[in-house]
Amino acid sequence: MKLKTTLLASVIACAPMAVLAADLTIGFSQIGSESGWRAAETTVTKQEAEKRGITLKFADAQQKQENQIKALRSFIAQGVDAILIAPVVATGWDEVLEEAADAEIPVVLLDRTVDADKSLYLTAVTSDLVHEGKVAGEWLVSEMNGANCRIVELQGTTGSSPAIDRKAGFEQGIAGHDNLQIVRSQTGDFTRAQGKVVMESFLKAEGGENICALYAHNDDMAVGAIQAIKEAGLKPGEDIKIVAIDAVPDAHKAIADGEMNATIELTPNMAGPALEALEAYLADGTEPAKWIQTESKLFTAKDDNLAIFNAKKDLGY
Amino acid sequence: MSSPPVGPRPSILKRIMPQLLILGVALALNVAVFPEFFQIDFRNGRLFGNLIDVLNRGAPVALLCIGMTLVIATKGIDLSVGAVMAIAGAVAAAMVVEGHGWGTAVLAALAAGGLCGLWNGFLVAVLRIQPIVATLVLMVAGRGVAQLVTEGKILTFDNPGLIHLGAGTVAGVPTPILIWLALAALVTFGVRKTALGMLIEAIGINERSSRLAGINSRVLLICVYLVSGLCAALAGVIVAADIKGADANNAGLWLELDAILAVVIGGNSLLGGRFSIIASLIGALIIQSVNSVILLSGLPPEFNLVIKALLILGILVIQSPRIGNFIYLLRASGPQPQPEPPHSTQEEAAR
Amino acid sequence: MKDTPTHPMPVLHARGISKFFPGTIALDDVDLRLMPGEVHALLGENGAGKSTLIKCLTGAYRRDAGTLMLDGQDVAPGSTADSQLLGIGTVYQEVNLLPNLTVAENLYLGRQPMRRGFIARRRMNAQARDVLAGYGLDIDPAEPLTAYSVAIQQVVAIARAVEMSGKVLILDEPTASLDRDEVQLLFGVIRQVKARGLAVVFITHFLDQVFEISDRATVLRNGRVVGECLLRDVTQRDVVTMMLGRQLEAQVKTRDTGRPGKTLLDIKGLGKRGMIAPFSLTIREGEVVGLAGLLGSGRTETANLIFGAVPADHGQVLLRGREIGLRNPRDAVAHRFALCPEDRKIDGIVGDLSVRDNIILALQARQGWMRPIPRAKIEEIAQSYVRALDIRLASLDMPIRLLSGGNQQKALLARWLATNPDFLILDEPTRGIDVGAHAEIIALIEQLRADGMALLVASSELEELVAYSTRVIVLRDREQVSELTGDQITPDNIINAIATEDAA
């Protein structure tokens, strides 16, 4: 309900400003709304366009590549100034990207990349999964400050690239610090329910007092694990340090409540850097780098998590 | 005129003995990988231990397999229970988020589950669609319905009453354990103290004969799918309450297969007929014990599915008729082809 | 065929065969001599040991004692495949062929004529046609087996067994599901096989057939041989006496013309398009109405229509003068109707349920699941019917499918009698059951009629219909063609009614 109202509000707010600015018209082909993060990305993209006075033409592809290709062709036919696309798959884009290039419409990839010639798109704005894990590991290293720490890890879905990369990044982050040791690592399938179940078994297998920290590949699993820790009579955030990735609103709330220690943001704001690069390119032809890496920002108790929670909670997460 | 010998009725213990033995082995495996497996503490106002976890985490599958046992006894199958869990969880969450009490929310979730069950029952009993196809409809569509209710996100709530059903305790015992035990007792009592159990078995064994004997097979079929839907709804509420949120994408995902597996491990035939809810429940606990072995073993998650597959395969092989015969022969020594049917007192022993 | 007692050389001679199952002696010192070129009937009530003996001969069971000589050689077949190679072929009631293959493929399965590594299909079909022609069968062997009737399938099975084995042919209840003409077809084939010098073992419940086709009989009772006899020297009564070990009381017809009873059921123009032409029928209390007619004449359809198993599309049924609706069996049961169906296995028993549950099933269904019959009451009902109908079983807990045919039938009767019906429909109540149970069921029908019940009995056994019917309705081509009453009821009259084209 809230999501709809927000969207409606932003559309209404958007309309007159766009007419005033009337400078740029940009098409945005979104994959769909399969997750909360995706919904937040859509909301933020609309907000970023509105902020800059850009007219955004939005197309939801409902997880289908052919819908995205159709949307791109329609954008080209309408003669938009630029195109943002979050591609649903990596392959099969060459033809439509060439059509865009022929029409001299720059294309920016959001969140994911494609297997196509780099000259066919202006730049790609994505996060770095390995880097996210590394930030989490480095945070724990500094937090422990040399003290011994037995870590349990909740992995993402076995075999998925976020699970592999975030695990590798974390291991890089703690490499060379023998006081930190991963003692148990098991998959929680990126879900709250499994996060809780697996944490329960960690607590029993290791003994809750022998676990010093939890690293979860996403916040959902961490939120589930927090409940397991509480039910075991321990204080999450104190007895067991918790660091996870994504920075969804519930994680900020948990940090504000002192039940979680840190989360690394996978920002839904891919559009901000993308639009910035586009504006510069369209204004004076400044070529951006081929890959714009979004910031993997670390949030801890030092930040005003309650305020961030309130700001984020209506983004559609 | 000979009066038939009044032998002892086949005892429940004898029926569930194979399942109990396998459960024993599964628990022993747990002890092998984690010696303190049976240790139970009282911590933070609740019983705390791996055995409690097995009982608690087994709750969704245990609840599902109660209904599934009845459905399978009628020669049917209900593939939709996982999706129905997602719907019920979503409905309960949406209700408390909109400010209703937890009681109303649970009733609404049960109503949603019941409706799903009636729909399946209608397709199977009235339209005579094969159960596997009929319930596939809801299995596929149900999750979409749940996502409509949650608007695609994890619908979180903090209603203490509802949360209590999943994460709370009563006298130290986690509530889900009490819920599935109570429902199992209720349903077992309901089918065995009334004639329902026998009539359901009769339909599953020979529906034509049952109909000709005056059994209202249509109503009974709808009933078992209704019960299955209600069990799934309860499981869905518990799963949502456990994580204080309704996750339409993941709640109950693939649990229909675990529930069917539990019924099969419980020694109930997929071809319908004689059933034992208790044996199915032990089957559910066996599955959960296997999950527990995997978690406690500390092996990397890449091995999870392989280990589970091997253990389940082992269980099913041990239960297969051929192996069963082999074990019987080892015990009874001397080949035992089926004796000629009439008036031999050996029938019972030979089976 | 001349049979001299001095002829010393049986094809197959089993001596002192014994087979034990824990706690029972299934076969006790059994001898069996099979002469070449004879049809040898193996007789006995269900449970006498016929099947066990056959299984010991064919290697399906391992015998615990005794010797088996084939053409004077000691043999010990370890499996049915072994015995086939030795020369002993078996054909069962349920044809054990592959229905989706062609007739020729079934005939030659496993030993197809080959040509350059491929099956020589044309040659195989031609050979099959020749072989079957030898049995007086002119069919296309390239057609799938299912294209033909059970009788023809039986003949194919026999032809296969004879071709493969060629010394002894065992026929286990081959005629159980065949009609009169088909039985004659089969007998023609058996005579051919006999003429070729094979020994044929014939197992059946139909004594008429035994006397028609067999030369000699061995009678078993309780696992022992009671006697071996040349059938031309004995009467049916002698054989029955040997089988039962007691004198079967003659079925003396005591037609009770006294009380006609009140009209119970008045059926007016009941029918269903494409199934049975509308018919009218009045049934009074204390009378047995027989339904006669050939297979497919509409006997079963009539029974099913009156019971609501198939809803009628026109006509009405009046029960004691009041119209009732019969949309399904539940309606019928609620009005105290009962139906013992023709096909026990498919429409009658609930195989895996205990005998006890099967007996109370209809009563419980009528009461509804909310009102379970108390356990003590169930026990009382089950026990009393087991005693009254002499149902032989090891325990009331045993699944009903383990009972013999006759005992299953009695248990089904018990199921319906337990509902205390006013109107009992029996469809082929004596099919496929042994002689003893046969007589008991006929006596029971008499008894129920005398007690004032109204019965409708469909049967293909004319003698039987004549014995118990107060009236006989004759059906032909799904229409009622005749009604016989009183002294008109004789087998000849029924046959005439069935056979004569409607002249009126």
Side-chain angles (χ1 to χ4, degrees):
Chain A
M1 291 300 169
K2 280 173 187 161
L3 169 64
K4 279 183 190 158
T5 345
T6 319
L7 288 186
L8 205 60
S10 55
V11 169
I12 292 166
C14 186
M17 285 187 64
V19 172
L20 284 180
D23 280 326
L24 289 176
T25 302
I26 290 179
F28 175 33
S29 170
Q30 175 63 293
I31 294 177
S33 52
E34 76 278 7
S35 67
W37 184 87
R38 185 70 57 195
E41 185 190 38
T42 304
T43 315
V44 171
T45 304
K46 286 175 176 168
Q47 286 173 351
E48 286 292 324
E50 181 192 339
K51 205 160 73 187
R52 291 175 168 81
I54 293 170
T55 309
L56 193 73
K57 290 183 181 293
F58 177 73
D60 183 332
Q62 302 189 334
Q63 325 292 329
K64 290 201 180 90
Q65 184 177 27
E66 66 256 36
N67 288 347
Q68 289 203 297
I69 292 175
K70 252 184 245 163
L72 257 58
R73 293 213 164 110
S74 146
F75 292 151
I76 295 167
Q78 292 170 39
V80 295
D81 297 301
I83 292 171
L84 300 180
I85 177 169
V88 63
V89 292
T91 54
W93 298 102
D94 304 66
E95 200 183 324
V96 73
L97 288 180
E98 271 164 28
E99 290 169 27
D102 291 346
E104 293 184 353
I105 298 173
V107 175
V108 177
L109 308 178
L110 294 190
D111 174 41
R112 302 181 182 187
T113 57
V114 298
D115 292 338
D117 194 283
K118 282 189 161 47
S119 65
L120 290 176
Y121 57 86
L122 183 66
T123 180
V125 183
T126 72
S127 70
D128 182 345
L129 296 165
V130 177
H131 183 63
E132 290 162 1
K134 199 172 167 197
V135 171
E138 284 164 351
W139 172 81
L140 195 59
V141 168
S142 70
E143 179 79 8
M144 283 299 117
N145 198 18
N148 283 333
C149 184
R150 292 161 59 83
I151 306 162
V152 295
E153 181 184 27
L154 284 170
Q155 297 186 28
T157 305
T158 308
S160 69
S161 65
I164 294 168
D165 290 348
R166 285 175 178 177
K167 181 172 173 58
F170 185 79
E171 281 163 3
Q172 283 174 27
I174 63 169
H177 299 275
D178 295 341
N179 56 323
L180 302 182
Q181 186 197 355
I182 299 175
V183 292
R184 291 243 165 200
S185 181
Q186 179 57 264
T187 178
D189 278 333
F190 282 132
T191 67
R192 271 184 206 214
Q194 273 308 103
K196 184 173 180 186
V197 170
V198 176
M199 191 66 206
E200 278 178 1
S201 82
F202 285 168
L203 289 167
K204 267 123 204 164
E206 291 298 325
E209 59 287 351
N210 298 325
I211 298 172
C212 127
L214 163 70
Y215 166 51
H217 287 189
N218 77 351
D219 286 335
D220 275 341
M221 292 190 290
V223 169
I226 286 170
Q227 294 178 36
I229 294 168
K230 282 201 273 193
E231 283 170 20
L234 296 171
K235 286 201 173 64
E238 280 180 38
D239 296 331
I240 296 176
K241 306 276 182 210
I242 299 170
V243 55
I245 297 175
D246 278 357
V248 301
D250 283 345
H252 288 293
K253 188 160 178 294
I255 295 174
D257 294 344
E259 294 177 342
M260 189 166 161
N261 304 84
T263 182
I264 290 92
E265 185 175 48
L266 168 62
T267 179
N269 186 6
M270 303 275 171
L275 294 175
E276 222 162 79
L278 269 176
E279 280 176 327
Y281 175 75
L282 293 173
D284 51 23
T286 317
E287 282 276 350
K290 273 292 162 193
W291 178 32
I292 300 172
Q293 183 189 338
T294 56
E295 189 189 0
S296 298
K297 190 168 185 305
L298 174 73
F299 289 95
T300 62
K302 294 189 189 96
D303 301 279
D304 185 357
N305 283 288
L306 215 50
I308 302 169
F309 169 74
N310 284 324
K312 278 190 171 180
K313 70 175 197 241
D314 290 335
L315 290 181
Y317 274 111
Chain B
M1 300 282 121
S2 63
S3 146
V6 188
R9 289 191 158 231
S11 83
I12 290 176
L13 198 64
K14 196 174 153 195
R15 163 69 178 82
I16 62 174
M17 191 45 79
Q19 282 72 39
L20 284 178
L21 286 176
I22 292 171
L23 180 61
V25 172
L27 293 177
L29 275 177
N30 273 291
V31 175
V33 299
F34 187 67
E36 292 93 53
F37 179 78
F38 281 113
Q39 188 181 318
I40 294 176
D41 304 333
F42 197 75
R43 204 185 284 188
N44 196 26
R46 59 191 292 145
L47 290 171
F48 185 87
N50 286 290
L51 204 56
I52 300 294
D53 280 358
V54 169
L55 292 170
N56 191 18
R57 291 299 155 207
V61 174
L63 284 169
L64 292 183
C65 81
I66 294 170
M68 191 69 81
T69 305
L70 298 183
V71 170
I72 287 178
T74 65
K75 223 179 231 174
I77 201 149
D78 189 350
L79 294 181
S80 72
V81 288
V84 173
M85 279 177 68
I87 294 176
V91 167
M95 291 294 282
V96 292
V97 166
E98 289 198 2
H100 295 278
W102 67 272
T104 319
V106 171
L107 285 180
L110 286 176
L115 214 59
C116 294
L118 286 177
W119 166 255
N120 285 331
F122 171 76
L123 293 184
V124 172
V126 180
L127 299 189
R128 290 277 155 197
I129 299 175
Q130 284 188 14
I132 196 165
V133 180
T135 56
L136 192 64
V137 174
L138 204 52
M139 177 188 180
V140 175
R143 222 160 263 290
V145 173
Q147 275 159 354
L148 281 181
V149 176
T150 61
E151 292 171 9
K153 54 188 172 182
I154 298 181
L155 199 55
T156 54
F157 51 86
D158 45 19
N159 180 302
L162 188 55
I163 291 168
H164 185 85
L165 294 179
T169 59
V170 175
V173 183
T175 324
I177 300 180
L178 298 174
I179 292 177
W180 75 255
L181 283 176
L183 191 75
L186 184 77
V187 174
T188 308
F189 193 81
V191 296
R192 291 305 176 194
K193 290 295 160 189
T194 68
L196 213 48
M198 184 190 80
L199 298 181
I200 287 171
E201 285 175 346
I203 292 177
I205 297 165
N206 189 338
E207 194 183 340
R208 280 173 63 109
S209 290
S210 305
R211 216 176 74 82
L212 284 171
I215 296 175
N216 194 342
S217 62
R218 185 177 284 183
V219 166
L220 281 179
L221 276 177
I222 293 177
C223 267
V224 295
Y225 284 94
L226 173 65
V227 170
S228 182
L230 291 174
C231 288
L234 212 45
V237 169
I238 286 179
V239 164
D242 184 39
I243 59 164
K244 305 179 192 174
D247 186 346
N249 280 316
N250 298 306
L253 197 62
W254 308 126
L255 280 198
E256 57 278 342
L257 299 183
D258 273 3
I260 293 166
L261 189 62
V263 174
V264 171
I265 292 177
N268 298 295
S269 167
L270 284 178
L271 297 176
R274 306 296 295 263
F275 67 88
S276 163
I277 291 177
I278 295 176
S280 294
L281 290 170
I282 299 174
L285 294 182
I286 290 171
I287 293 175
Q288 194 52 41
S289 304
V290 168
N291 288 340
S292 169
V293 171
I294 292 167
L295 289 178
L296 290 174
S297 68
L299 285 169
E302 288 79 3
F303 291 97
N304 287 6
L305 295 178
V306 179
I307 297 172
K308 187 165 179 181
L310 287 177
L311 288 175
I312 299 292
L313 185 69
I315 291 168
L316 295 180
V317 165
I318 289 169
Q319 287 195 335
S320 69
R322 287 277 164 136
I323 302 287
N325 265 347
F326 182 67
I327 293 170
Y328 175 79
L329 290 181
L330 282 185
R331 281 213 325 247
S333 77
Q336 241 354 279
Q338 292 204 330
E340 214 180 356
H343 64 200
S344 80
T345 49
Q346 265 12 86
E347 305 302 337
E348 302 304 294
R351 268 179 298 118
Chain C
M1 171 126 303
K2 203 163 177 250
D3 192 282
T4 43
T6 49
H7 197 300
M9 198 52 189
V11 188
L12 184 138
H13 196 170
R15 264 181 286 203
I17 304 280
S18 295
K19 176 71 194 173
F20 311 110
F21 293 119
T24 36
I25 302 168
L27 290 176
D28 184 9
D29 197 20
V30 169
D31 287 5
L32 181 69
R33 289 189 304 155
L34 301 179
M35 297 303 171
E38 77 165 3
V39 177
H40 192 119
L42 192 55
L43 303 174
E45 281 200 273
N46 280 338
K50 300 186 301 272
S51 308
T52 313
L53 179 58
I54 295 306
K55 284 179 177 160
C56 285
L57 296 184
T58 59
Y61 284 174
R62 213 178 51 195
R63 58 183 185 273
D64 293 324
T67 57
L68 190 60
M69 288 174 79
L70 196 64
D71 282 337
Q73 303 277 316
D74 257 326
V75 293
S79 68
T80 47
D82 265 9
S83 65
Q84 256 175 27
L85 293 176
L86 288 169
I88 306 172
T90 314
V91 174
Y92 299 97
Q93 173 185 352
E94 281 87 21
V95 182
N96 45 343
L97 296 176
L98 301 167
N100 51 342
L101 296 186
T102 68
V103 171
E105 283 166 338
N106 268 295
L107 209 47
Y108 287 104
L109 188 69
R111 51 193 187 97
Q112 302 91 337
M114 304 297 275
R115 185 161 161 268
R116 286 194 229 118
F118 293 95
I119 294 172
R121 192 166 291 279
R122 196 173 300 162
R123 186 146 54 92
M124 182 171 79
N125 286 340
Q127 284 178 5
R129 190 181 286 273
D130 288 349
V131 168
L132 294 173
Y135 294 100
L137 218 56
D138 181 24
I139 60 171
D140 181 0
E143 287 282 314
L145 190 67
T146 44
Y148 298 106
S149 69
V150 176
I152 288 177
Q153 296 184 22
Q154 289 275 17
V155 174
V156 173
I158 290 171
R160 176 180 164 84
V162 170
E163 293 284 304
M164 282 189 70
S165 303
K167 287 178 186 165
V168 175
L169 175 65
I170 298 169
L171 301 173
D172 192 356
E173 298 213 30
T175 57
S177 47
L178 305 187
D179 70 20
R180 204 173 290 257
D181 293 341
E182 293 173 330
V183 168
Q184 286 311 319
L185 171 79
L186 190 72
F187 282 2
V189 170
I190 293 176
R191 287 191 187 100
Q192 304 235 7
V193 173
K194 175 179 155 179
R196 290 198 201 180
L198 272 79
V200 180
V201 178
F202 182 50
I203 299 171
T204 185
H205 287 300
F206 303 112
L207 282 184
D208 288 344
Q209 294 179 1
V210 169
F211 277 84
E212 184 177 348
I213 191 78
S214 311
D215 306 300
R216 190 198 294 269
T218 294
V219 183
L220 293 173
R221 191 170 73 232
N222 294 332
R224 293 179 193 218
V225 174
V226 200
E228 192 210 64
C229 54
L230 281 173
L231 287 166
R232 61 169 183 249
D233 297 340
V234 295
T235 63
Q236 284 207 19
R237 181 169 297 269
D238 298 334
V239 171
V240 171
T241 310
M242 282 165 85
M243 287 165 65
L244 297 182
R246 57 186 141 98
Q247 199 78 32
L248 187 71
E249 280 156 48
Q251 288 297 328
V252 182
K253 181 72 189 152
T254 53
R255 210 183 302 279
D256 185 354
T257 46
R259 314 166 282 111
K262 283 182 288 183
T263 298
L264 179 76
L265 212 57
D266 199 359
I267 297 165
K268 292 179 175 170
L270 199 67
K272 182 171 173 65
R273 201 162 293 119
M275 196 174 139
I276 185 115
F279 63 92
S280 297
L281 182 62
T282 307
I283 300 172
R284 291 185 295 269
E285 287 169 359
E287 99 175 326
V288 177
V289 177
L291 275 180
L294 295 177
L295 207 67
S297 62
R299 294 188 314 244
T300 298
E301 288 80 356
T302 304
N304 284 343
L305 214 57
I306 299 176
F307 193 64
V310 177
D313 59 10
H314 41 265
Q316 57 178 171
V317 178
L318 304 173
L319 177 68
R320 295 190 183 92
R322 295 241 303 271
E323 182 169 1
I324 56 169
L326 292 171
R327 282 156 303 149
N328 52 46
R330 260 184 309 130
D331 290 348
V333 174
H335 291 300
R336 294 193 180 272
F337 288 19
L339 167 71
C340 274
E342 175 184 19
D343 195 324
R344 267 196 308 275
K345 284 207 167 60
I346 293 177
D347 295 329
I349 64 167
V350 181
D352 279 338
L353 280 192
S354 66
V355 178
R356 178 193 295 107
D357 286 348
N358 267 284
I359 289 177
I360 60 144
L361 194 62
L363 183 61
Q364 182 65 70
R366 191 176 67 194
Q367 286 212 2
W369 62 270
M370 292 282 277
R371 296 196 296 135
I373 306 168
R375 186 162 281 194
K377 179 87 176 160
I378 290 176
E379 205 62 41
E380 184 194 318
I381 293 172
Q383 292 275 8
S384 68
Y385 280 105
V386 163
R387 260 196 305 277
L389 303 181
D390 191 21
I391 303 174
R392 288 180 220 162
L393 36 63
S395 146
L396 279 169
D397 283 314
M398 67 194 283
I400 194 169
R401 67 183 155 76
L402 294 180
L403 294 188
S404 69
N407 284 317
Q408 286 181 2
Q409 184 71 321
K410 288 185 195 168
L412 288 181
L413 273 167
R415 172 192 292 175
W416 289 111
L417 294 180
T419 65
N420 192 17
D422 294 335
F423 176 47
L424 176 61
I425 307 169
L426 302 173
D427 194 356
E428 295 286 358
T430 57
R431 171 166 295 179
I433 67 180
D434 57 284
V435 179
H438 195 130
E440 285 166 11
I441 285 175
I442 291 173
L444 179 69
I445 292 173
E446 283 287 315
Q447 176 66 44
L448 293 171
R449 186 196 57 75
D451 290 349
M453 195 182 285
L455 290 99
L456 180 70
V457 185
S459 177
S460 49
E461 303 279 320
L462 299 186
E463 301 288 348
E464 195 185 297
L465 277 176
V466 170
Y468 51 62
S469 301
T470 32
R471 273 188 297 152
V472 171
I473 308 285
V474 182
L475 297 167
R476 188 175 60 224
D477 295 336
R478 295 163 188 258
E479 260 184 88
Q480 282 189 20
V481 290
S482 176
E483 178 171 337
L484 307 172
T485 52
D487 293 338
Q488 293 176 316
I489 304 178
T490 64
D492 281 351
N493 283 345
I494 296 175
I495 289 171
N496 283 341
I498 291 172
T500 317
E501 282 301 315
D502 204 355

